Amino acid sequence: MFEITLDSFIRIVTVGFLAYVGLVIFLRISGKRTLTKLNAFDLVVTVALGSTLATILLSKDVSLLEGLTAFTLLIFMQYLFTLLAVHSQWFNNVIKSEPRLLFLDGQFLRNAMKKERIKEIEILQAIRNTGFGSTEKVKAVVLETDGSMSVISSEPGNTLANVKSNTETSI
C-alpha cells in the first residue's frame, strides 16, 4: 500500500512530466475555448482531460503515446462540437442548456426553481456571495448554462434576451 519501486517512481515522474507538457501544448494550440466552463458539455471535456492525465500517470497499461492520442481526440471532439454548435442552432440546442431566470423584481420564480431543482436558500447564497445583504437590491438572478448563478443589481436590459422565464419563453 505504501510501497513504490524506483522504476515506478521514474516512470510516473517522466511520463507525468511529458504528459503534462503535451497537454499544455495541446491546450495552447486549441485555444482558450477548450477549458471554458460555459456549459455542462465543456465541464465534461475538462473532467475527461483530467481523468486521462491521471490514467496516463498511474496506469502502466497506458503508454504516453496512447495518452497523448486520447488528449488529441478529446480536444478535437470538443473543437468539432463547438464548431458545429456555432454553425447549427439545432446542434447547439442539443448540447447546451439555456440560462433560466429564477428571481425577478423581488419574487422567486417557483416554477423555474422547481424545474431546475434550485432551492430558495441557494439563490440567497448566490446573492450573499455577491455582497448583497438584501434581496431588495437585486433585480434578477439567473441560473447560467454552467450551473453558476448571476446576480443582477441594476436594470437587466438586454442581458436577459436569451434567458428562459418560468413560462418557458425568452424574456
Side-chain angles (χ1 to χ4, degrees):
M1 182 165 143
F2 295 105
E3 295 178 20
I4 187 169
T5 65
L6 183 59
D7 289 344
S8 287
F9 178 78
I10 291 171
R11 182 197 172 285
I12 290 170
V13 170
T14 305
V15 171
F17 176 79
L18 294 173
Y20 185 80
V21 168
L23 180 59
V24 169
I25 290 169
F26 290 155
L27 291 175
R28 289 291 293 150
I29 291 170
S30 65
K32 296 175 187 141
R33 172 72 169 128
T34 304
L35 287 181
T36 61
K37 296 185 310 177
L38 297 177
N39 56 59
F41 172 72
D42 294 322
L43 176 64
V44 168
V45 171
T46 303
V47 170
L49 287 170
S51 177
T52 302
L53 180 60
T55 302
I56 296 167
L57 286 173
L58 300 176
S59 176
K60 294 178 183 175
D61 297 332
V62 178
S63 72
L64 177 62
L65 186 55
E66 289 171 325
L68 294 176
T69 303
F71 285 153
T72 304
L73 176 65
L74 287 169
I75 292 169
F76 173 75
M77 292 301 294
Q78 197 268 353
Y79 177 82
L80 182 64
F81 273 46
T82 55
L83 186 66
L84 287 170
V86 167
H87 293 291
S88 168
Q89 187 59 43
W90 174 85
F91 192 77
N92 187 56
N93 293 340
V94 168
I95 67 167
K96 295 181 182 178
S97 63
E98 291 183 338
R100 184 171 306 270
L101 189 63
L102 301 175
F103 180 89
L104 183 63
D105 294 325
Q107 298 294 316
F108 290 96
L109 305 178
R110 304 279 179 205
N111 289 339
M113 291 167 58
K114 185 177 180 180
K115 183 169 178 96
E116 298 295 341
R117 301 180 318 276
I118 299 291
K119 297 177 110 184
E120 185 176 313
I121 193 166
E122 294 168 312
I123 296 171
L124 293 174
Q125 178 183 359
I127 292 170
R128 286 191 305 271
N129 284 340
T130 59
F132 292 107
S134 171
T135 57
E136 294 171 4
K137 296 182 180 183
V138 175
K139 295 291 184 182
V141 177
V142 176
L143 179 63
E144 300 294 353
T145 59
D146 67 353
S148 66
M149 287 190 226
S150 295
V151 178
I152 301 170
S153 62
S154 61
E155 286 302 319
N158 63 356
T159 62
L160 297 181
N162 70 325
V163 176
K164 284 197 171 223
S165 70
N166 62 337
T167 60
E168 298 302 319
T169 58
S170 293
I171 293 183

